[in-house]
Amino acid sequence: MGPRVLIVEDEEPLMLLLRYNLEAEGYEVDSVSRGDEAEIRLREQVPDIVLLDWMLPGLSGIELCRRIRARTETERLPVIMLTARGEEGDRIRGLSTGADDYIVKPFSVPELLARVRALLRRAKPAHIATLLRAGDIELDRETHRVRRAGQELHLGPTEFRLLEFLMQSPGRVFSREHLLNAVWGHDVYIDERTVDVHVGRLRKAINLPRRPDPIRTVRGAGYSFDETFAREEQAVNA
């Protein structure tokens, strides 16, 4: 499961070109063609980065960027502005609105991919790293292997994706609906209780005797990867 990219672009050929190249690089891609649709999508699920066209129907990219920065849930969301406006004043306006980067059409796709990687590396390094580590747990994205205390664990593909998603944002609580969308996808219609079943399987697979449970249940809210887990592990081993 790669980083999630939301493309907001009303030029369909460009959108399809970006989607193809991003998916080829391992990203999970969603796309909309209107600014107002993008705002709704961002309230449903926050991606890891947004590629945002300046000129959009429904709501301009500039206004959408302002609204992204105004919401607590998205105020740190990386945004790259895509635009045909190349004048210095336009670039300044785009950046001052809150965009993290600004690229002028027509642009080189390899350059855009490099900028996406660079921005994610700064903003969300866990989404780029091949290895995720917390306490005595190590998750290898390339080999799809998980180890705890040096012991290899056997996780099903859903449990692997669930652990990977939670480990990317330690301490953040995700609702069952959010986990369904992130791990299973928007187009899969299953009961939210399915999340509880797979969290139970994940716990059974990763928990060892006399070791702290890294998965935290927040009553009425959802689940998180406990950000104090690494410290608890150190205390156990001390």
Side-chain angles (χ1 to χ4, degrees):
M1 181 176 62
R4 293 170 175 80
V5 181
L6 175 63
I7 303 172
V8 190
E9 172 60 65
D10 64 336
E11 295 179 33
E12 186 175 6
L14 177 57
M15 183 274 290
L16 292 174
L17 177 67
L18 293 173
R19 173 184 282 275
Y20 174 82
N21 283 275
L22 286 162
E23 288 180 341
E25 291 284 315
Y27 296 94
E28 292 191 17
V29 181
D30 192 9
S31 60
V32 293
S33 59
R34 295 175 57 90
D36 48 0
E37 291 176 358
E39 186 175 27
I40 294 171
R41 192 65 55 86
L42 287 165
R43 291 184 181 275
E44 293 173 346
Q45 182 180 7
V46 178
D48 297 308
I49 190 168
V50 176
L51 305 183
L52 178 60
D53 188 21
W54 180 307
M55 302 294 291
L56 291 166
L59 185 70
S60 73
I62 286 288
E63 179 57 30
L64 179 57
C65 193
R66 288 195 186 99
R67 297 185 186 187
I68 287 172
R69 293 294 172 248
R71 290 183 62 223
T72 302
E73 296 85 353
T74 55
E75 62 182 354
R76 298 183 182 276
L77 175 62
V79 175
I80 297 179
M81 189 77 75
L82 310 177
T83 179
R85 297 170 175 260
E87 299 297 324
E88 181 181 11
D90 292 323
R91 291 198 298 271
I92 291 171
R93 183 182 175 197
L95 293 170
S96 63
T97 302
D100 297 281
D101 202 352
Y102 186 104
I103 189 165
V104 178
K105 302 175 184 177
F107 51 79
S108 156
V109 172
E111 179 187 358
L112 175 65
L113 293 174
R115 293 194 186 199
V116 168
R117 286 192 296 269
L119 191 51
L120 282 172
R121 193 176 297 115
R122 294 196 303 269
K124 299 192 173 187
H127 290 68
I128 297 298
T130 299
L131 290 175
L132 297 180
R133 292 189 180 94
D136 62 352
I137 294 179
E138 180 182 278
L139 182 147
D140 190 323
R141 285 170 155 153
E142 289 191 347
T143 63
H144 272 239
R145 289 180 172 175
V146 178
R147 295 179 177 85
R148 182 165 191 185
Q151 175 181 331
E152 186 161 348
L153 309 178
H154 300 286
L155 274 64
T158 301
E159 285 71 45
F160 181 92
R161 292 196 304 270
L162 184 58
L163 178 61
E164 178 186 18
F165 182 76
L166 291 171
M167 286 182 71
Q168 288 176 158
S169 304
R172 180 175 174 182
V173 179
F174 294 99
S175 68
R176 290 169 177 81
E177 180 183 5
H178 194 148
L179 290 171
L180 276 176
N181 290 334
V183 177
W184 282 264
H186 284 281
D187 299 327
V188 178
Y189 298 98
I190 53 179
D191 193 283
E192 289 188 2
R193 286 173 294 183
T194 301
V195 175
D196 300 328
V197 172
H198 284 278
V199 168
R201 291 177 181 173
L202 175 59
R203 280 184 160 134
K204 185 175 180 180
I206 66 174
N207 283 332
L208 301 177
R210 297 181 298 279
R211 297 275 181 171
D213 184 353
I215 309 300
R216 185 164 66 98
T217 302
V218 182
R219 188 178 297 276
Y223 298 99
S224 76
F225 191 90
D226 195 343
E227 74 277 18
T228 67
F229 169 68
R231 294 197 297 272
E232 291 179 11
E233 274 293 320
Q234 291 176 351
V236 168
N237 295 326

